Amino acid sequence: EADIYQTPRYLVIGTGKKITLECSQTMGHDKMYWYQQDPGMELHLIHYSYGVNSTEKGDLSSESTVSRIRTEHFPLTLESARPSHTSQYLCASSDIGEQFFGPGTRLTVL
Amino acid sequence: LAKTTQPISMDSYEGQEVNITCSHNNIATNDYITWYQQFPSQGPRFIIQGYKTKVTNEVASLFIPADRKSSTLSLPRVSLSDTAVYYCLVAVAGSASKIIFGSGTRLSIRP
Protein backbone atom coordinates (compact mmCIF):
# COMPACT_ATOMS: atom_id res chain seq x y z
CA GLU A 1 0.00 0.00 0.00
CA ALA A 2 1.12 3.51 -0.82
CA ASP A 3 2.03 5.73 2.12
CA ILE A 4 0.73 9.10 1.05
CA TYR A 5 -1.51 11.17 3.27
CA GLN A 6 -3.69 14.19 2.81
CA THR A 7 -5.33 16.36 5.44
CA PRO A 8 -7.98 17.44 5.91
CA ARG A 9 -10.17 14.98 4.02
CA TYR A 10 -13.05 17.44 3.97
CA LEU A 11 -13.01 21.21 4.43
CA VAL A 12 -15.87 23.71 4.32
CA ILE A 13 -14.74 27.28 4.57
CA GLY A 14 -15.96 30.80 3.91
CA THR A 15 -14.90 33.07 1.08
CA GLY A 16 -11.70 35.02 1.65
CA LYS A 17 -10.11 32.61 4.09
CA LYS A 18 -6.55 31.38 3.67
CA ILE A 19 -6.24 27.61 3.57
CA THR A 20 -3.45 25.08 3.33
CA LEU A 21 -4.00 21.52 2.15
CA GLU A 22 -1.41 19.13 3.49
CA CYS A 23 0.22 16.26 1.62
CA SER A 24 2.91 13.97 2.96
CA GLN A 25 4.53 10.79 1.67
CA THR A 26 6.89 8.39 3.38
CA MET A 27 8.20 6.62 0.29
CA GLY A 28 11.09 8.99 -0.35
CA HIS A 29 9.73 9.90 -3.78
CA ASP A 30 11.32 12.87 -5.49
CA LYS A 31 8.32 13.76 -7.66
CA MET A 32 5.08 15.06 -6.20
CA TYR A 33 1.93 16.38 -7.84
CA TRP A 34 -1.31 18.21 -7.14
CA TYR A 35 -4.40 17.54 -9.23
CA GLN A 36 -7.80 19.18 -9.20
CA GLN A 37 -10.88 17.16 -10.06
CA ASP A 38 -14.54 18.18 -10.12
CA PRO A 39 -17.13 15.39 -9.60
CA GLY A 40 -17.34 13.14 -12.64
CA MET A 41 -14.78 15.16 -14.51
CA GLU A 42 -11.14 14.83 -15.57
CA LEU A 43 -8.14 15.19 -13.34
CA HIS A 44 -6.14 18.31 -14.11
CA LEU A 45 -2.52 18.73 -13.07
CA ILE A 46 -2.12 22.09 -11.30
CA HIS A 47 1.33 21.78 -9.70
CA TYR A 48 4.26 19.40 -9.68
CA SER A 49 7.67 19.13 -8.14
CA TYR A 50 10.80 17.22 -9.16
CA GLY A 51 12.34 17.55 -5.72
CA VAL A 52 13.18 19.91 -2.88
CA ASN A 53 12.97 23.58 -3.88
CA SER A 54 11.59 22.63 -7.30
CA THR A 55 7.99 23.51 -8.17
CA GLU A 56 6.26 24.05 -11.50
CA LYS A 57 2.77 24.93 -12.61
CA GLY A 58 0.78 22.27 -14.40
CA ASP A 59 -1.52 22.38 -17.39
CA LEU A 60 -4.48 23.91 -15.56
CA SER A 61 -4.02 27.44 -14.33
CA SER A 62 -4.58 27.68 -10.61
CA GLU A 63 -4.54 30.52 -8.09
CA SER A 64 -3.02 28.17 -5.53
CA THR A 65 0.66 28.02 -4.65
CA VAL A 66 2.86 25.17 -3.45
CA SER A 67 6.15 24.73 -1.66
CA ARG A 68 8.63 21.85 -1.37
CA ILE A 69 10.97 22.46 1.52
CA ARG A 70 11.20 18.81 2.51
CA THR A 71 11.10 15.75 0.28
CA GLU A 72 8.15 14.24 2.08
CA HIS A 73 5.95 17.34 2.30
CA PHE A 74 4.16 19.22 -0.51
CA PRO A 75 1.51 21.61 0.87
CA LEU A 76 -0.87 23.60 -1.32
CA THR A 77 -2.06 27.05 -0.24
CA LEU A 78 -4.92 29.26 -1.30
CA GLU A 79 -4.42 32.80 0.00
CA SER A 80 -8.05 33.80 -0.43
CA ALA A 81 -10.54 31.03 -1.05
CA ARG A 82 -13.45 31.62 -3.44
CA PRO A 83 -16.46 29.48 -4.39
CA SER A 84 -14.77 28.73 -7.75
CA HIS A 85 -12.10 26.85 -5.78
CA THR A 86 -14.66 24.26 -4.69
CA SER A 87 -13.33 20.94 -5.93
CA GLN A 88 -11.47 17.79 -4.96
CA TYR A 89 -7.70 18.15 -4.64
CA LEU A 90 -5.60 15.03 -5.10
CA CYS A 91 -1.94 14.74 -4.19
CA ALA A 92 0.35 12.11 -5.70
CA SER A 93 3.98 11.08 -5.65
CA SER A 94 6.20 8.93 -7.81
CA ASP A 95 9.70 7.67 -8.32
CA ILE A 96 10.45 6.57 -11.90
CA GLY A 97 7.29 4.52 -12.23
CA GLU A 98 3.64 4.91 -11.48
CA GLN A 99 2.07 7.64 -9.38
CA PHE A 100 0.66 6.88 -5.95
CA PHE A 101 -2.32 8.97 -4.97
CA GLY A 102 -3.55 10.16 -1.62
CA PRO A 103 -7.22 9.98 -0.59
CA GLY A 104 -7.89 13.58 -1.61
CA THR A 105 -9.26 16.69 0.08
CA ARG A 106 -12.77 17.75 -0.81
CA LEU A 107 -12.90 21.53 -0.49
CA THR A 108 -16.11 23.53 -0.38
CA VAL A 109 -15.94 27.31 -0.32
CA LEU A 110 -19.15 29.04 0.65
CA LEU B 1 1.86 15.90 -25.96
CA ALA B 2 0.44 12.52 -26.87
CA LYS B 3 -3.34 12.78 -26.60
CA THR B 4 -5.39 9.71 -25.84
CA THR B 5 -8.91 8.81 -26.91
CA GLN B 6 -11.05 6.30 -25.04
CA PRO B 7 -14.73 5.36 -25.10
CA ILE B 8 -16.68 7.49 -22.65
CA SER B 9 -18.48 4.52 -21.13
CA MET B 10 -18.83 0.75 -21.33
CA ASP B 11 -21.20 -1.78 -19.77
CA SER B 12 -20.61 -5.45 -19.06
CA TYR B 13 -21.72 -8.28 -16.79
CA GLU B 14 -20.06 -10.14 -14.00
CA GLY B 15 -17.78 -12.92 -15.14
CA GLN B 16 -17.19 -11.44 -18.59
CA GLU B 17 -13.87 -10.30 -20.03
CA VAL B 18 -13.77 -6.57 -20.67
CA ASN B 19 -11.48 -4.91 -23.19
CA ILE B 20 -11.02 -1.13 -23.16
CA THR B 21 -9.15 0.32 -26.11
CA CYS B 22 -7.21 3.58 -26.06
CA SER B 23 -5.98 5.43 -29.15
CA HIS B 24 -2.75 7.43 -29.02
CA ASN B 25 -1.82 8.17 -32.61
CA ASN B 26 1.02 10.59 -31.88
CA ILE B 27 2.78 8.54 -29.22
CA ALA B 28 6.49 9.35 -29.01
CA THR B 29 9.37 6.89 -28.99
CA ASN B 30 10.08 7.38 -25.29
CA ASP B 31 6.46 7.24 -24.16
CA TYR B 32 5.09 4.47 -21.98
CA ILE B 33 1.41 3.53 -21.75
CA THR B 34 -0.08 3.41 -18.28
CA TRP B 35 -3.58 2.58 -17.05
CA TYR B 36 -5.17 3.74 -13.82
CA GLN B 37 -8.43 2.86 -12.09
CA GLN B 38 -10.44 5.36 -10.06
CA PHE B 39 -13.37 4.73 -7.72
CA PRO B 40 -15.67 7.59 -6.68
CA SER B 41 -14.18 9.94 -4.08
CA GLN B 42 -10.79 8.22 -4.24
CA GLY B 43 -7.51 8.92 -6.01
CA PRO B 44 -6.58 6.87 -9.08
CA ARG B 45 -4.77 3.59 -8.57
CA PHE B 46 -2.13 2.15 -10.90
CA ILE B 47 -3.19 -0.96 -12.83
CA ILE B 48 -0.56 -1.73 -15.44
CA GLN B 49 2.14 -0.18 -17.60
CA GLY B 50 3.76 -1.25 -20.85
CA TYR B 51 5.89 -0.14 -23.76
CA LYS B 52 5.16 -2.72 -26.45
CA THR B 53 3.69 -6.19 -27.06
CA LYS B 54 1.92 -7.68 -24.06
CA VAL B 55 2.18 -7.15 -20.34
CA THR B 56 0.28 -9.18 -17.76
CA ASN B 57 -0.04 -8.88 -14.01
CA GLU B 58 -2.36 -10.30 -11.41
CA VAL B 59 -5.26 -7.99 -12.27
CA ALA B 60 -5.05 -7.17 -15.99
CA SER B 61 -3.31 -7.55 -19.32
CA LEU B 62 -2.17 -4.80 -21.64
CA PHE B 63 -1.92 -5.42 -25.36
CA ILE B 64 0.11 -3.01 -27.50
CA PRO B 65 0.41 -3.52 -31.27
CA ALA B 66 3.68 -3.01 -33.08
CA ASP B 67 2.86 0.54 -34.23
CA ARG B 68 1.97 1.50 -30.61
CA LYS B 69 -0.79 3.82 -31.82
CA SER B 70 -3.32 2.10 -29.60
CA SER B 71 -3.48 -0.16 -26.59
CA THR B 72 -6.07 -2.43 -25.03
CA LEU B 73 -6.60 -3.02 -21.35
CA SER B 74 -8.09 -6.46 -20.72
CA LEU B 75 -9.84 -7.26 -17.45
CA PRO B 76 -10.55 -10.98 -17.12
CA ARG B 77 -13.76 -12.13 -15.43
CA VAL B 78 -14.91 -8.77 -14.08
CA SER B 79 -16.91 -8.40 -10.89
CA LEU B 80 -19.17 -5.66 -9.55
CA SER B 81 -16.17 -4.17 -7.74
CA ASP B 82 -14.52 -3.42 -11.09
CA THR B 83 -17.09 -0.68 -11.69
CA ALA B 84 -14.88 2.42 -11.93
CA VAL B 85 -13.35 4.95 -14.30
CA TYR B 86 -10.31 3.71 -16.22
CA TYR B 87 -7.71 6.15 -17.53
CA CYS B 88 -5.15 5.57 -20.26
CA LEU B 89 -2.04 7.76 -20.06
CA VAL B 90 0.86 8.17 -22.43
CA ALA B 91 4.01 9.81 -21.10
CA VAL B 92 7.74 9.44 -20.75
CA ALA B 93 8.49 7.19 -17.81
CA GLY B 94 9.25 9.32 -14.79
CA SER B 95 8.01 12.52 -16.42
CA ALA B 96 6.08 14.92 -14.22
CA SER B 97 5.15 17.63 -16.66
CA LYS B 98 3.49 15.76 -19.51
CA ILE B 99 0.88 13.66 -17.76
CA ILE B 100 -2.68 14.05 -19.07
CA PHE B 101 -5.38 11.86 -17.59
CA GLY B 102 -8.12 12.68 -20.09
CA SER B 103 -11.78 11.82 -19.58
CA GLY B 104 -11.33 8.12 -18.98
CA THR B 105 -13.79 5.27 -19.60
CA ARG B 106 -16.62 4.79 -17.12
CA LEU B 107 -17.05 1.01 -16.80
CA SER B 108 -20.28 -0.30 -15.29
CA ILE B 109 -20.54 -3.96 -14.33
CA ARG B 110 -23.98 -5.48 -13.82
CA PRO B 111 -24.94 -8.69 -11.99
Side-chain angles (χ1 to χ4, degrees), chain A residues 36 45-47 57-65 76-78 85 89:
Chain A
Q36 184 175 342
L45 180 68
I46 53 175
H47 298 283
K57 289 189 178 294
D59 295 322
L60 181 67
S61 175
S62 174
E63 294 168 347
S64 59
T65 59
L76 180 146
T77 298
L78 276 166
H85 296 140
Y89 293 83

Side-chain angles (χ1 to χ4, degrees), chain B residues 18-74:
Chain B
V18 171
N19 296 311
I20 306 174
T21 296
C22 178
S23 297
H24 27 81
N25 290 318
N26 59 340
I27 188 170
T29 303
N30 295 334
D31 286 339
Y32 279 72
I33 300 156
T34 309
W35 286 80
Y36 287 83
Q37 174 193 56
Q38 186 180 27
F39 297 114
S41 299
Q42 295 185 24
R45 185 176 66 128
F46 170 84
I47 301 174
I48 197 166
Q49 183 181 70
Y51 183 80
K52 62 180 179 180
T53 63
K54 177 183 174 182
V55 179
T56 298
N57 62 21
E58 62 275 10
V59 298
S61 294
L62 178 59
F63 298 92
I64 305 169
D67 66 5
R68 304 202 326 125
K69 293 184 184 299
S70 67
S71 59
T72 299
L73 174 73
S74 180

Side-chain angles (χ1 to χ4, degrees), chain A residues 31 33 35 37 40-43 45 48 50 59 90 96 98-99 101-103 106, chain B residues 1 36 38 41-44 46 87 93-97 99-103 106:
Chain A
K31 300 181 189 69
Y33 317 76
Y35 291 86
Q37 184 180 36
M41 304 298 285
E42 305 177 24
L43 285 89
L45 180 68
Y48 62 94
Y50 280 111
D59 295 322
L90 289 158
I96 60 171
E98 73 268 25
Q99 295 183 53
F101 283 81
R106 185 166 297 281
Chain B
L1 298 176
Y36 287 83
Q38 186 180 27
S41 299
Q42 295 185 24
F46 170 84
Y87 296 96
S95 168
S97 63
I99 298 172
I100 300 176
F101 270 80
S103 301
R106 190 171 300 276

Side-chain angles (χ1 to χ4, degrees), chain B residues 79-94:
Chain B
S79 64
L80 295 176
S81 63
D82 291 315
T83 294
V85 178
Y86 292 82
Y87 296 96
C88 164
L89 281 72
V90 173
V92 175

Side-chain angles (χ1 to χ4, degrees), chain A:
Chain A
E1 290 294 323
D3 296 314
I4 180 163
Y5 310 98
Q6 290 186 245
T7 57
R9 291 293 313 278
Y10 302 92
L11 179 61
V12 181
I13 202 164
T15 297
K17 299 292 186 182
K18 177 180 179 179
I19 61 170
T20 296
L21 307 184
E22 302 288 348
C23 176
S24 295
Q25 51 98 3
T26 59
M27 296 171 283
H29 288 165
D30 285 328
K31 300 181 189 69
M32 295 190 74
Y33 317 76
W34 276 103
Y35 291 86
Q36 184 175 342
Q37 184 180 36
D38 293 327
M41 304 298 285
E42 305 177 24
L43 285 89
H44 291 285
L45 180 68
I46 53 175
H47 298 283
Y48 62 94
S49 168
Y50 280 111
V52 171
N53 294 326
S54 155
T55 61
E56 300 287 344
K57 289 189 178 294
D59 295 322
L60 181 67
S61 175
S62 174
E63 294 168 347
S64 59
T65 59
V66 292
S67 62
R68 190 87 183 277
I69 299 173
R70 303 197 317 263
T71 298
E72 63 271 21
H73 196 213
F74 191 39
L76 180 146
T77 298
L78 276 166
E79 290 292 334
S80 180
R82 295 206 302 268
S84 61
H85 296 140
T86 295
S87 188
Q88 172 155 274
Y89 293 83
L90 289 158
C91 179
S93 72
S94 70
D95 189 4
I96 60 171
E98 73 268 25
Q99 295 183 53
F100 294 90
F101 283 81
T105 294
R106 185 166 297 281
L107 172 66
T108 302
V109 184
L110 303 176

